[in-house]
Amino acid sequence: MRIAVMKENCPGERRIPLIPATAEKLVKLGADLAVESGLGLSCRFEDADYEKAGASVSASRRELLQSADMVLRLRKPPKEEIELMRQGCIHVSYLDPFNEAGLVELLCRAGISAVSLEMIPRSTLAQKMDVLSSQANIAGYAAVLLGAEHLDKIFPMMTTPAGTIKPARVFIIGVGVAGLQAIATAKRLGAVVEAFDTRPVVEEQVKSLGAKFVKIDLGETGQTKDGYAKALTPEQLALQKEGMTKACARADVVITTAQLFGRPAPRLIDRKMLAEMRPGSVVIDMAVESGGNVEGSEVDKITEISGVRVLGFGNLPGRFAETASQMYSSNLGNFVEHFWDKQTKVFNLNRNDEIIKGALITHAGEIVSEMYKSIINK
Ligand code: NAD
């Protein structure tokens, strides 16, 4: 089975989909692995490193796409490349399907079996392939470092002959994978950390990391069967804002990570709340690319609002491209290995498997994901 791995061409993206160690793993499985020339350069891997791992290297994108039984890449495919792929080709990447209905339609019409890595279910078995988690971990870490860099104060308490410096206060809103990593990172840097999430189950996790959970009574909230937060009513959102205003005002750095699966991120901090914060404070909107948690935040910009620096940087995992690529590549390798038939040396797209059922969006000219259909048709 021929697996082609495409070089990422999105401007500013330094992450790569496959590192040589994973290439070696796929070759050992018996795959005929071909990578695009220059695949690993942004992480300092040469073509020769992939050749040493047993892959072939081609400079022709067209040839790679036309000959592949399976295509692996990082981000969604460019529309003009879809018609180059063979009918029945399995395409595995981030797909952002809820915002890319047109692309999904094209993949469907071309008869591609498109796997969206974002849709892999949150099960114990699938953890090793969960790109959302691996990248969110790095994003949480990156957000804290950004906060530390843009704050004019230091994070840790210091007792010195020049006086005692108080520790910085960090407030983290949304305690999923990114939020937990942000809490751990801010604690390691010596900050006093508070956190809030609408899912009451996270309170224990927040406490176990040595942070304080901010309690706000919103009534019935809860989570979906996959562990994602449910959307709040407008009344609950208003209550949440009211409850969080004080926690924001006493913080030097606020990091917002709140997301809703398949929907725009909830708007949690408005200009009035920013005006209550001390000038010089820093807010990092980690949801800026999916609609934004903070009023006035802009993608890849620092916006100053009432003296507060609002940072809206996208692609936070890409700031630590080497580690992020290592983790993405490992997730991808685990996905392929999990469904690899060792006798026939072929990827078995088992339509009865829960992971494939969750992540496969299009197949044989049809949209097959029930979750995608239910959200897109709402
Ligand atoms: P996410 O990226 O969808 O959202 C980030 C956080 O924002 C979540 O904790 C969510 O509850 C929170 N949020 C949403 N609306 C909010 C609001 N109005 N105010 C405050 N917070 C709000 O979440 P995620 O990081 O993908 O994690 C979702 C859940 O899945 C977590 O419980 C996580 O531990 C779990 N998970 C399980 C597995 C697994 O079992 N394999 C893997 C990864 C994550």
Side-chain angles (χ1 to χ4, degrees):
M1 179 162 186
R2 187 167 171 84
I3 302 182
V5 191
M6 311 310 295
K7 185 175 173 211
E8 185 52 56
N9 282 341
C10 179
E13 179 62 86
R14 291 193 298 125
R15 288 176 297 169
I16 61 172
L18 199 79
I19 64 169
T22 315
E24 195 177 335
K25 172 172 164 161
L26 298 184
V27 170
K28 280 200 179 129
L29 287 176
D32 166 14
L33 185 69
V35 307
E36 187 177 352
S37 178
L39 177 78
L41 282 182
S42 58
C43 288
R44 291 168 292 278
F45 295 115
E46 305 286 338
D47 287 352
D49 297 324
Y50 291 93
E51 279 168 340
K52 226 180 281 164
S56 61
V57 175
S58 167
S60 166
R61 241 174 134 79
R62 175 176 284 267
E63 182 269 322
L64 281 170
L65 289 164
Q66 283 174 338
S67 64
D69 301 303
M70 178 178 227
V71 171
L72 308 179
R73 66 166 105 218
L74 182 71
R75 290 183 179 242
K76 61 196 170 200
K79 285 189 175 137
E80 64 281 6
E81 289 190 357
I82 290 175
E83 59 181 24
L84 296 178
M85 289 187 280
R86 293 208 291 240
Q87 218 177 4
C89 179
I90 303 168
H91 187 281
V92 186
S93 69
Y94 274 120
L95 207 55
D96 192 15
F98 302 115
N99 294 309
E100 290 290 347
L103 186 66
V104 169
E105 194 52 47
L106 284 179
L107 286 161
C108 181
R109 267 192 259 141
I112 309 294
S113 299
V115 171
S116 164
L117 290 172
E118 299 97 324
M119 304 277 279
I120 285 183
R122 267 38 222 284
S123 62
T124 308
L125 189 63
Q127 247 170 358
K128 61 185 179 186
M129 337 167 179
D130 185 350
V131 295
L132 285 187
S133 289
S134 68
Q135 303 301 297
N137 251 312
I138 300 176
Y141 168 84
V144 174
L145 295 195
L146 267 176
E149 189 187 329
H150 285 85
L151 186 70
D152 295 335
K153 301 180 184 178
I154 60 167
F155 268 32
M157 183 176 103
M158 275 193 196
T159 310
T160 77
T164 298
I165 306 293
K166 282 194 198 154
R169 300 187 73 100
V170 177
F171 179 38
I172 291 162
I173 305 171
V175 190
V177 181
L180 285 170
Q181 187 57 252
I183 294 175
T185 307
K187 286 293 294 179
R188 277 184 218 122
L189 285 178
V192 171
V193 184
E194 294 189 287
F196 174 73
D197 197 295
T198 52
R199 293 179 301 119
V201 291
V202 304
E203 181 172 350
E204 277 312 306
Q205 298 167 22
V206 169
K207 284 185 182 158
S208 73
L209 287 170
K212 187 178 161 219
F213 189 75
V214 173
K215 283 201 188 239
I216 305 169
D217 185 6
L218 300 176
E220 179 72 26
T221 51
Q223 57 183 21
T224 67
K225 69 172 176 33
D226 291 314
Y228 289 112
K230 290 185 177 162
L232 300 182
T233 63
E235 293 75 25
Q236 284 176 314
L237 265 178
L239 270 177
Q240 178 181 353
K241 280 187 184 174
E242 197 186 309
M244 288 190 328
T245 300
K246 278 197 187 124
C248 287
R250 59 178 176 258
D252 299 296
V253 174
V254 175
I255 298 175
T256 70
T257 80
Q259 305 264 7
L260 296 167
F261 189 77
R263 310 178 55 161
R267 184 53 62 87
L268 303 177
I269 297 189
D270 57 25
R271 286 174 191 271
K272 228 170 92 199
M273 292 162 78
L274 292 173
E276 296 283 322
M277 292 177 67
R278 269 192 306 274
S281 304
V282 175
V283 177
I284 294 138
D285 185 351
M286 288 185 65
V288 69
E289 287 170 305
S290 57
N293 292 144
V294 183
E295 188 179 0
S297 73
E298 287 183 57
V299 178
D300 290 335
K301 288 209 175 125
I302 300 176
T303 319
E304 186 138 338
I305 302 172
S306 304
V308 174
R309 292 170 189 164
V310 179
L311 274 53
F313 295 130
N315 192 8
L316 293 180
R319 291 177 169 256
F320 297 92
E322 202 171 312
T323 314
S325 304
Q326 188 186 333
M327 290 167 97
Y328 183 94
S329 174
S330 168
N331 293 145
L332 209 50
N334 290 335
F335 176 74
V336 175
E337 186 183 30
H338 189 83
F339 295 101
W340 193 260
D341 185 325
K342 294 202 170 78
Q343 315 266 263
T344 56
K345 299 194 181 343
V346 163
F347 183 93
N348 174 19
L349 191 73
N350 177 2
R351 299 277 314 279
N352 295 320
D353 182 276
E354 288 306 314
I355 299 171
I356 296 292
K357 268 195 217 162
L360 187 68
I361 309 294
T362 63
H363 180 69
E366 272 181 63
I367 294 181
V368 292
S369 162
E370 291 309 321
M371 164 112 64
Y372 175 78
K373 283 191 269 190
S374 71
I375 292 185
I376 214 81
N377 293 330
K378 247 185 203 164

Short mmCIF file of all heavy atoms in Angstrom, two decimals, residues 122-124 127 130 133 173-178 196-199 226-229 232 237 240 257-260 266 268, ligand 1:
data_model
loop_
_atom_site.label_atom_id
_atom_site.label_comp_id
_atom_site.label_asym_id
_atom_site.label_seq_id
_atom_site.Cartn_x
_atom_site.Cartn_y
_atom_site.Cartn_z
N ARG A 122 -13.11 10.67 22.00
CA ARG A 122 -12.31 10.82 23.22
C ARG A 122 -12.36 9.54 24.05
O ARG A 122 -12.79 9.56 25.18
CB ARG A 122 -12.86 11.97 24.01
CG ARG A 122 -12.29 13.36 23.84
CD ARG A 122 -11.88 13.84 22.55
NE ARG A 122 -10.63 14.58 22.61
CZ ARG A 122 -10.51 15.81 23.07
NH1 ARG A 122 -11.54 16.45 23.51
NH2 ARG A 122 -9.34 16.40 23.10
N SER A 123 -11.92 8.41 23.48
CA SER A 123 -11.96 7.17 24.25
C SER A 123 -10.56 6.83 24.72
O SER A 123 -9.57 7.34 24.18
CB SER A 123 -12.51 6.04 23.39
OG SER A 123 -11.64 5.84 22.28
N THR A 124 -10.46 5.95 25.71
CA THR A 124 -9.15 5.55 26.23
C THR A 124 -8.32 4.93 25.11
O THR A 124 -7.13 5.24 24.94
CB THR A 124 -9.34 4.53 27.38
OG1 THR A 124 -10.27 5.12 28.29
CG2 THR A 124 -8.05 4.23 28.09
N GLN A 127 -6.78 7.52 22.68
CA GLN A 127 -5.95 8.60 23.23
C GLN A 127 -4.63 8.78 22.49
O GLN A 127 -4.18 9.88 22.27
CB GLN A 127 -5.64 8.30 24.70
CG GLN A 127 -6.31 9.29 25.62
CD GLN A 127 -6.23 8.86 27.07
OE1 GLN A 127 -5.71 7.81 27.40
NE2 GLN A 127 -6.75 9.68 27.94
N ASP A 130 -4.97 11.02 19.48
CA ASP A 130 -5.78 12.22 19.69
C ASP A 130 -4.95 13.50 19.46
O ASP A 130 -4.29 14.00 20.37
CB ASP A 130 -6.34 12.16 21.11
CG ASP A 130 -7.29 13.30 21.42
OD1 ASP A 130 -7.37 14.25 20.61
OD2 ASP A 130 -7.93 13.25 22.47
N SER A 133 -5.75 16.64 21.68
CA SER A 133 -5.13 16.66 23.02
C SER A 133 -3.65 16.98 22.94
O SER A 133 -3.15 17.81 23.70
CB SER A 133 -5.29 15.30 23.70
OG SER A 133 -6.63 15.12 24.05
N ILE A 173 -9.55 30.33 32.25
CA ILE A 173 -10.98 30.05 32.01
C ILE A 173 -11.08 28.92 30.99
O ILE A 173 -10.61 29.05 29.86
CB ILE A 173 -11.70 31.31 31.49
CG1 ILE A 173 -11.48 32.47 32.47
CG2 ILE A 173 -13.19 31.03 31.28
CD1 ILE A 173 -11.95 33.81 31.95
N GLY A 174 -11.70 27.82 31.40
CA GLY A 174 -11.78 26.63 30.56
C GLY A 174 -10.67 25.67 30.96
O GLY A 174 -9.49 25.98 30.77
N VAL A 175 -11.05 24.56 31.57
CA VAL A 175 -10.03 23.64 32.08
C VAL A 175 -10.15 22.28 31.39
O VAL A 175 -10.48 21.28 32.01
CB VAL A 175 -10.11 23.50 33.62
CG1 VAL A 175 -8.90 22.75 34.15
CG2 VAL A 175 -10.18 24.88 34.28
N GLY A 176 -9.95 22.29 30.06
CA GLY A 176 -9.81 21.03 29.31
C GLY A 176 -8.32 20.71 29.29
O GLY A 176 -7.59 21.00 30.24
N VAL A 177 -7.88 20.13 28.18
CA VAL A 177 -6.48 19.73 28.09
C VAL A 177 -5.56 20.95 28.14
O VAL A 177 -4.58 20.99 28.89
CB VAL A 177 -6.26 18.92 26.79
CG1 VAL A 177 -4.82 18.48 26.68
CG2 VAL A 177 -7.19 17.71 26.75
N ALA A 178 -5.88 21.97 27.34
CA ALA A 178 -5.02 23.17 27.29
C ALA A 178 -5.02 23.88 28.65
O ALA A 178 -3.97 24.32 29.14
CB ALA A 178 -5.52 24.13 26.20
N PHE A 196 -11.57 28.43 36.20
CA PHE A 196 -13.02 28.18 36.17
C PHE A 196 -13.39 27.38 34.93
O PHE A 196 -12.81 27.57 33.85
CB PHE A 196 -13.80 29.51 36.17
CG PHE A 196 -15.28 29.29 35.99
CD1 PHE A 196 -16.04 28.75 37.02
CD2 PHE A 196 -15.90 29.54 34.76
CE1 PHE A 196 -17.39 28.47 36.84
CE2 PHE A 196 -17.25 29.28 34.58
CZ PHE A 196 -17.99 28.74 35.62
N ASP A 197 -14.36 26.52 35.07
CA ASP A 197 -14.93 25.78 33.94
C ASP A 197 -16.39 25.53 34.24
O ASP A 197 -16.77 25.42 35.42
CB ASP A 197 -14.18 24.45 33.73
CG ASP A 197 -14.43 23.83 32.37
OD1 ASP A 197 -15.59 23.45 32.08
OD2 ASP A 197 -13.48 23.74 31.58
N THR A 198 -17.20 25.40 33.18
CA THR A 198 -18.63 25.14 33.41
C THR A 198 -18.88 23.68 33.78
O THR A 198 -19.95 23.33 34.25
CB THR A 198 -19.45 25.46 32.15
OG1 THR A 198 -18.85 24.76 31.05
CG2 THR A 198 -19.49 26.93 31.87
N ARG A 199 -17.90 22.81 33.51
CA ARG A 199 -18.07 21.40 33.87
C ARG A 199 -17.59 21.22 35.30
O ARG A 199 -16.39 21.33 35.57
CB ARG A 199 -17.28 20.51 32.91
CG ARG A 199 -17.82 20.54 31.48
CD ARG A 199 -17.00 19.66 30.54
NE ARG A 199 -15.61 20.06 30.48
CZ ARG A 199 -14.58 19.30 30.81
NH1 ARG A 199 -14.78 18.07 31.23
NH2 ARG A 199 -13.35 19.76 30.72
N ASP A 226 -18.89 12.73 25.13
CA ASP A 226 -17.47 12.77 24.81
C ASP A 226 -16.67 13.66 25.76
O ASP A 226 -15.48 13.88 25.57
CB ASP A 226 -17.25 13.28 23.37
CG ASP A 226 -17.74 12.26 22.35
OD1 ASP A 226 -17.41 11.08 22.53
OD2 ASP A 226 -18.44 12.65 21.41
N GLY A 227 -17.35 14.23 26.76
CA GLY A 227 -16.64 15.05 27.74
C GLY A 227 -16.56 16.51 27.35
O GLY A 227 -15.91 17.30 28.02
N TYR A 228 -17.21 16.90 26.24
CA TYR A 228 -17.19 18.31 25.83
C TYR A 228 -18.25 19.10 26.59
O TYR A 228 -19.28 18.55 26.97
CB TYR A 228 -17.45 18.44 24.33
CG TYR A 228 -16.30 17.95 23.48
CD1 TYR A 228 -16.42 16.82 22.69
CD2 TYR A 228 -15.09 18.63 23.45
CE1 TYR A 228 -15.38 16.37 21.91
CE2 TYR A 228 -14.04 18.19 22.67
CZ TYR A 228 -14.19 17.06 21.90
OH TYR A 228 -13.14 16.63 21.13
N ALA A 229 -17.99 20.41 26.76
CA ALA A 229 -18.95 21.26 27.45
C ALA A 229 -20.19 21.48 26.60
O ALA A 229 -20.12 21.51 25.37
CB ALA A 229 -18.31 22.61 27.74
N LEU A 232 -23.99 27.23 27.02
CA LEU A 232 -24.80 27.82 28.07
C LEU A 232 -25.94 28.63 27.46
O LEU A 232 -25.86 29.06 26.31
CB LEU A 232 -23.94 28.75 28.93
CG LEU A 232 -22.72 28.14 29.65
CD1 LEU A 232 -22.02 29.20 30.48
CD2 LEU A 232 -23.14 26.97 30.54
N LEU A 237 -24.71 32.61 30.61
CA LEU A 237 -23.50 33.33 30.19
C LEU A 237 -23.37 34.66 30.93
O LEU A 237 -22.28 35.06 31.35
CB LEU A 237 -23.52 33.59 28.69
CG LEU A 237 -22.79 32.56 27.82
CD1 LEU A 237 -22.94 32.90 26.35
CD2 LEU A 237 -21.32 32.45 28.19
N GLN A 240 -22.25 33.97 34.36
CA GLN A 240 -20.83 33.60 34.35
C GLN A 240 -19.96 34.86 34.28
O GLN A 240 -18.98 35.00 35.02
CB GLN A 240 -20.52 32.67 33.17
CG GLN A 240 -19.05 32.32 33.13
CD GLN A 240 -18.67 31.42 31.98
OE1 GLN A 240 -19.51 30.91 31.24
NE2 GLN A 240 -17.38 31.20 31.82
N THR A 257 -9.57 29.52 27.35
CA THR A 257 -9.40 28.34 26.48
C THR A 257 -10.74 27.73 26.10
O THR A 257 -10.79 26.62 25.59
CB THR A 257 -8.59 27.24 27.22
OG1 THR A 257 -9.48 26.53 28.11
CG2 THR A 257 -7.44 27.79 28.04
N ALA A 258 -11.85 28.44 26.39
CA ALA A 258 -13.17 27.80 26.28
C ALA A 258 -13.58 27.54 24.83
O ALA A 258 -13.58 28.44 23.99
CB ALA A 258 -14.22 28.66 26.97
N GLN A 259 -13.93 26.28 24.56
CA GLN A 259 -14.37 25.89 23.22
C GLN A 259 -15.64 25.08 23.34
O GLN A 259 -15.91 24.48 24.38
CB GLN A 259 -13.32 24.97 22.58
CG GLN A 259 -11.93 25.53 22.52
CD GLN A 259 -11.59 26.18 21.20
OE1 GLN A 259 -12.46 26.34 20.32
NE2 GLN A 259 -10.36 26.58 21.05
N LEU A 260 -16.42 25.07 22.27
CA LEU A 260 -17.62 24.22 22.20
C LEU A 260 -17.49 23.39 20.94
O LEU A 260 -17.33 23.96 19.86
CB LEU A 260 -18.89 25.07 22.16
CG LEU A 260 -19.15 25.93 23.40
CD1 LEU A 260 -20.25 26.95 23.12
CD2 LEU A 260 -19.55 25.04 24.58
N PRO A 266 -17.61 30.34 22.98
CA PRO A 266 -18.47 31.29 23.70
C PRO A 266 -17.72 32.60 23.98
O PRO A 266 -16.52 32.58 24.25
CB PRO A 266 -18.78 30.57 25.01
CG PRO A 266 -17.65 29.60 25.21
CD PRO A 266 -17.18 29.21 23.84
N LEU A 268 -16.83 35.27 26.40
CA LEU A 268 -16.84 35.26 27.87
C LEU A 268 -16.37 36.55 28.52
O LEU A 268 -16.69 36.84 29.66
CB LEU A 268 -15.95 34.12 28.39
CG LEU A 268 -16.32 32.72 27.89
CD1 LEU A 268 -15.33 31.71 28.40
CD2 LEU A 268 -17.73 32.36 28.33
P1 NAD B 1 -12.36 21.95 24.59
O1 NAD B 1 -11.12 22.35 23.86
O2 NAD B 1 -13.56 21.57 23.80
O3 NAD B 1 -12.79 23.15 25.59
C1 NAD B 1 -11.87 23.66 26.54
C2 NAD B 1 -12.57 23.82 27.86
O4 NAD B 1 -13.48 24.92 27.81
C3 NAD B 1 -13.40 22.63 28.30
O5 NAD B 1 -12.94 22.18 29.56
C4 NAD B 1 -14.83 23.17 28.39
O6 NAD B 1 -15.57 22.59 29.43
C5 NAD B 1 -14.56 24.64 28.66
N1 NAD B 1 -15.69 25.55 28.41
C6 NAD B 1 -16.63 25.54 27.44
N2 NAD B 1 -17.49 26.56 27.60
C7 NAD B 1 -17.09 27.24 28.69
C8 NAD B 1 -17.55 28.41 29.37
N3 NAD B 1 -18.65 29.06 28.98
N4 NAD B 1 -16.88 28.83 30.45
C9 NAD B 1 -15.79 28.17 30.91
N5 NAD B 1 -15.30 27.07 30.31
C10 NAD B 1 -15.94 26.61 29.22
O7 NAD B 1 -12.04 20.77 25.64
P2 NAD B 1 -10.91 19.65 25.59
O8 NAD B 1 -9.65 20.17 26.08
O9 NAD B 1 -10.94 19.04 24.24
O10 NAD B 1 -11.46 18.62 26.65
C11 NAD B 1 -12.81 18.24 26.74
C12 NAD B 1 -12.93 17.07 27.70
O11 NAD B 1 -12.49 15.87 27.09
C13 NAD B 1 -12.12 17.20 28.96
O12 NAD B 1 -12.87 16.64 30.01
C14 NAD B 1 -10.94 16.34 28.71
O13 NAD B 1 -10.31 15.91 29.89
C15 NAD B 1 -11.59 15.21 27.97
N6 NAD B 1 -10.66 14.45 27.15
C16 NAD B 1 -10.74 13.08 27.20
C17 NAD B 1 -9.85 12.33 26.41
C18 NAD B 1 -9.91 10.85 26.44
O14 NAD B 1 -10.55 10.28 27.28
N7 NAD B 1 -9.27 10.21 25.50
C19 NAD B 1 -8.94 12.96 25.60
C20 NAD B 1 -8.92 14.36 25.57
C21 NAD B 1 -9.80 15.09 26.34
#
